[in-house]
Amino acid sequence: MLVPMAKVEIIGPRGLFSDVLALVHAQGRLHIEDLSNKISKGDVPLNRMEVDPAKLREQQAMEDLLIRVRAILRALDGGGKASQANRAEYERLFPLEPNDLAQEVAQVINEVEDRTAALASAHTDLESELALLGRYEPILHKIQPLASQIVTTGSYDSVALLFERRYKGALEALKEELERITDKHYEVVSTDVDEDTTAAIVVFDRQYADGVHKFLTMENVNQIRLPDSFEGVPFDAAYSEVRARRQALPGELSETRSELNKMSEQWAGKLAAIRDVLIDREQEIEAIPKFGRTDYAFVITGWMPVKDVPELTAGIRDNWGDDIIVQQNEINEAEYAETPVALNNPAAIAPFQTLLSAYGNPRYGTIDATWMLFLFYPLFFGMIVGDFGYGIIMLSIILWLRFKFADNSTIRLATSILGPAATSVIIFGLVYGEFFGDLLGPRHLDVIQPLTIGAVTLPFERTHAQIAFMLIALAVGVVQILFGLTLGVINAIKTKNRHHLYEKGGILVFLIAIALAVLVGYAEHMFGSWTTWGQMAFAALALGGFIYAVRGGGVMGVVETVESVTHMASYLRIMAVGLAGALFADAVNGIVADMGNIALAIIVGVFLHAINFIIAAFSPTIHALRLNFLEFFGKFYETGKQDYRPFTKTGGEKSA
């Protein structure tokens, strides 16, 4: 549900502005309204609050310090420690005077910055070197037998090359060109180092080095270039040195990481507190131009949850008595679009707020659709997949992920959304009588027995009742579209939007009248001579609804009316996609049943069912979300312009 918001206005003497702003910041409940645009347009009789030059200098100094603190924290995180602020340190630092704060922060920075930077740089260099040598060692190992045969002096240079064996013939062409470039002052030694690779070492007079290297580069020959630290070292000696260095690097890396860990344990909490203090102090200065003033007074306006207004009022009264005025103004319909939105739903429904935010949070004063996603997304997903066996696997995977990665917020969120969907798959699997398709049906294991409850017989075998399944899917679409239009009428009434009321109400009446006319015509034997009169009456009612839809929406009213009919038909995808998956599973079972080899049949069955399961895990999600977001939400849902983001301290954030 939407959190009821209040428009708040705080007025007081300009001399108390900084103190009042600090209290508002500390309470962390007010979403600030930026008055600068209204002031520049002349919409409010105020001037823009100006930032004192001393405050600007303070802000610049804090920005400079903040850059350095963040750099140190990034370096310390290389040691594997989280940068969580020390709360007590934050509370101690925040009230300090700007000069005292800057002096203490600079002292901490000077104490740890150079050492941390040096350790972080060393850690990065060691990791890079280890990765680099890890690529070179197997290459040098391949050419080692050749390198030991080559003895070079100061007047000779050498190059190591690697070829794919299928291109070994190119080595002869290479020799011919080298003979021309070096005037026959060269030697090539080559050997097959494995079934795929041929290695070669070329030794040549150093006076021909430029020509040889240029030729090899132009021909894209794969040369082995040693790291800079091994430049000039013969290949056989380089191999030994690379191996020795690779053995020594893990110890050096571990030692450096240990030093970073110690630094992080000692300083990360304090530095994170400093970071948060600097951010919050800077935010207070950045917010100043958003407020208004007169010659003698300041004006702070914004929104906050209604339940939090008494806390703000009491805090101001306790500190300044009647010197500061706090006014709670009613939010009228014209301000709904600008009012920030906060949602507060039960724990089971709350994860779907994130899913809803992908579409856009609701406009203030309208209906929160989170609970509808909570109901309809799992419903449609279950109707489409509807297989007890697949549902059990889905739910098992979801539960495993939830417990395996209990500390991962993304996994918790995803499993909270997918858990109800998998449960719905299990329920509809029981309704359809599907367990990996028709595996338990009469064609195969013949375990499922029909169950009659009143006029309903279960299981409802959708693969054998395709027309009925199509009508059910269509009926779901009719009900949800009509429900959406009803919500659209409610939103129009709540927001006092007459055009939307006429449009949504007119389309709703039109569709209901058409549906009733069809039902009366279908049940002609029940109504007898009243059928014609009834159809005429409903046709007149439909015409009246259509006229009101056009009156409210103009040309778009016509478009919306036609779209509403086509959107109902769009729900047939529940039947189409669902049947496709069910028939695929049945076909797999048929293939397996006709195979004579049991072991092969099991392998084929598992493989094909796995493919169908993967499709069932992803494709229905797209269709279920589309039906909700496009067809359903389009009938009533209005998105707001801004979410509720209170002016709160980084070191003291509160939830809505």
Side-chain angles (χ1 to χ4, degrees):
M1 60 175 291
L2 271 70
V3 176
M5 304 295 287
K7 186 70 176 291
V8 174
E9 190 173 64
I10 307 171
I11 303 172
R14 286 183 61 182
L16 297 177
F17 169 74
S18 296
D19 294 333
V20 174
L21 181 61
L23 182 139
V24 170
H25 197 193
Q27 287 191 347
R29 311 307 292 161
L30 184 69
H31 180 111
I32 294 172
E33 179 184 20
D34 189 347
L35 293 175
S36 57
N37 289 332
K38 291 184 177 180
I39 292 172
S40 62
K41 293 177 182 178
D43 294 340
V44 291
L46 296 170
N47 295 315
R48 188 178 180 185
M49 184 67 75
E50 299 168 349
V51 183
D52 183 85
K55 287 284 187 182
L56 289 175
R57 290 193 295 272
E58 177 187 337
Q59 181 183 9
Q60 183 60 53
M62 285 189 293
E63 286 178 355
D64 295 341
L65 291 171
L66 185 57
I67 291 172
R68 297 172 69 184
V69 169
R70 281 174 165 160
I72 297 172
L73 283 170
R74 282 195 298 271
L76 291 182
D77 277 343
K81 297 295 180 181
S83 301
Q84 185 172 357
N86 183 314
R87 181 66 187 177
E89 188 67 11
Y90 176 93
E91 297 291 350
R92 183 185 72 81
L93 292 171
F94 191 85
L96 295 179
E97 291 296 321
N99 290 336
D100 295 337
L101 176 62
Q103 184 176 354
E104 182 161 345
V105 171
Q107 182 178 349
V108 172
I109 289 175
N110 292 334
E111 188 169 352
V112 300
E113 187 174 38
D114 291 342
R115 177 60 178 159
T116 303
L119 285 171
S121 178
H123 187 271
T124 302
D125 291 344
L126 289 170
E127 284 186 325
S128 300
E129 186 181 0
L130 186 60
L132 181 65
L133 296 184
R135 292 195 300 269
Y136 274 100
E137 184 177 347
I139 297 173
L140 292 173
H141 176 71
K142 289 181 178 181
I143 67 169
Q144 178 63 16
L146 292 178
S148 61
Q149 301 175 32
I150 301 296
V151 178
T152 60
T153 66
S155 60
Y156 284 88
D157 199 354
S158 63
V159 176
L161 310 174
L162 287 179
F163 298 87
E164 291 186 44
R165 286 187 63 181
R166 55 180 173 166
Y167 300 128
K168 189 175 180 180
L171 184 59
E172 296 304 319
L174 177 66
K175 289 179 179 179
E176 293 178 5
E177 188 63 23
L178 288 172
E179 183 173 324
R180 183 188 65 80
I181 294 172
T182 64
D183 194 23
K184 299 182 180 181
H185 290 78
Y186 81 98
E187 184 68 40
V188 176
V189 181
S190 65
T191 186
D192 295 331
V193 295
D194 56 38
E195 61 182 12
D196 297 318
T197 310
T198 295
I201 293 182
V202 181
V203 182
F204 50 89
D205 195 307
R206 192 175 294 275
Q207 64 178 314
Y208 303 110
D210 291 342
V212 171
H213 288 299
K214 183 178 180 180
F215 164 69
L216 294 175
T217 301
M218 291 180 64
E219 295 299 322
N220 293 319
V221 178
N222 187 12
Q223 302 180 57
I224 302 172
R225 300 185 184 275
L226 293 174
D228 293 341
S229 57
F230 294 91
E231 186 176 356
V233 179
F235 286 109
D236 56 341
Y239 176 61
S240 300
E241 292 186 21
V242 166
R243 290 191 63 190
R245 183 62 181 152
R246 280 199 72 198
Q247 292 175 355
L249 279 173
E252 294 181 25
L253 191 61
S254 177
E255 184 178 345
T256 304
R257 189 178 293 117
S258 176
E259 287 295 318
L260 271 174
N261 283 335
K262 291 178 182 178
M263 291 285 292
S264 186
E265 289 172 359
Q266 181 179 359
W267 293 104
K270 184 181 183 71
L271 286 164
I274 291 173
R275 174 201 61 199
D276 291 352
V277 168
L278 294 174
I279 290 173
D280 292 342
R281 295 282 287 266
E282 192 177 351
Q283 280 182 347
E284 285 191 9
I285 299 174
E286 288 177 347
I288 291 174
K290 297 179 180 180
F291 306 117
R293 67 169 179 84
T294 65
D295 290 340
Y296 303 104
F298 70 84
V299 179
I300 297 175
T301 62
W303 298 266
M304 67 191 313
V306 172
K307 63 182 178 62
D308 293 321
V309 175
E311 179 185 353
L312 172 65
T313 305
I316 288 179
R317 186 187 304 114
D318 292 344
N319 283 278
W320 300 285
D322 296 331
D323 291 341
I324 307 294
I325 299 172
V326 179
Q327 294 185 132
Q328 178 180 343
N329 301 321
E330 183 179 354
I331 302 173
N332 59 48
E333 295 77 18
E335 297 176 305
Y336 281 174
E338 302 295 333
T339 302
V341 172
L343 301 178
N344 185 17
N345 286 295
I349 299 177
F352 288 83
Q353 291 178 191
T354 303
L355 199 58
L356 181 66
S357 66
Y359 188 86
N361 280 334
R363 179 185 179 188
Y364 186 77
T366 62
I367 295 172
D368 174 20
T370 306
W371 66 271
M372 299 174 205
L373 268 183
F374 171 73
L375 292 176
F376 292 127
Y377 166 68
L379 174 67
F380 295 160
F381 189 92
M383 287 183 69
I384 293 172
V385 181
D387 189 292
F388 184 82
Y390 288 176
I392 289 294
I393 294 176
M394 287 181 186
L395 190 59
S396 299
I397 293 173
I398 289 166
L399 291 174
W400 177 80
L401 287 171
R402 191 169 183 85
F403 288 107
K404 177 70 174 179
F405 304 99
D407 297 330
N408 188 311
S409 59
T410 302
I411 296 294
R412 287 202 310 273
L413 175 65
T415 53
S416 297
I417 294 172
L418 296 174
T423 304
S424 178
V425 171
I426 294 173
I427 294 172
F428 276 98
L430 294 173
V431 172
Y432 298 151
E434 294 180 16
F435 181 84
F436 298 104
D438 60 351
L439 184 62
L440 299 183
R443 287 182 59 203
H444 302 291
L445 299 181
D446 197 18
V447 172
I448 298 177
Q449 299 299 320
L451 174 65
T452 301
I453 304 175
V456 178
T457 300
L458 295 177
F460 169 72
E461 299 182 44
R462 56 178 171 171
T463 54
H464 301 297
Q466 298 176 9
I467 299 298
F469 193 30
M470 179 186 71
L471 293 175
I472 290 172
L474 192 60
V476 169
V478 171
V479 170
Q480 193 178 43
I481 293 298
L482 293 179
F483 179 47
L485 289 168
T486 303
L487 296 176
V489 170
I490 295 172
N491 273 344
I493 293 172
K494 293 177 70 173
T495 58
K496 294 183 172 58
N497 190 321
R498 187 177 63 182
H499 291 291
H500 281 185
L501 178 61
Y502 288 164
E503 182 183 10
K504 303 299 182 185
I507 297 173
L508 179 63
V509 171
F510 173 82
L511 293 177
I512 291 176
I514 294 296
L516 291 175
V518 171
L519 289 175
V520 168
Y522 184 75
E524 183 176 357
H525 65 282
M526 296 178 57
F527 295 95
S529 61
W530 288 97
T531 300
T532 302
W533 291 103
Q535 288 180 322
M536 290 177 62
F538 288 131
L541 188 61
L543 179 61
F546 182 73
I547 291 172
Y548 264 89
V550 175
R551 182 181 177 185
V555 176
M556 289 306 301
V558 179
V559 175
E560 286 285 344
T561 303
V562 175
E563 274 192 347
S564 296
V565 177
T566 59
H567 284 169
M568 290 177 178
S570 185
Y571 285 75
L572 291 174
R573 71 183 63 244
I574 293 176
M575 179 270 294
V577 180
L579 278 180
L583 291 173
F584 185 95
D586 291 353
V588 171
N589 294 335
I591 292 171
V592 170
D594 292 339
M595 297 180 70
N597 188 313
I598 296 178
L600 182 60
I602 292 175
I603 294 172
V604 171
V606 170
F607 175 73
L608 293 178
H609 272 298
I611 293 175
N612 197 32
F613 175 82
I614 293 171
I615 296 172
F618 293 100
S619 178
T621 292
I622 297 172
H623 294 292
L625 291 178
R626 174 198 162 92
L627 290 174
N628 280 291
F629 285 157
L630 184 60
E631 278 78 3
F632 180 46
F633 281 13
K635 302 298 172 285
F636 73 95
Y637 196 74
E638 299 180 48
T639 56
K641 292 184 178 179
Q642 57 180 334
D643 297 336
Y644 171 60
R645 300 187 185 282
F647 181 52
T648 186
K649 291 181 177 180
T650 304
E653 187 174 356
K654 301 177 182 179
S655 58

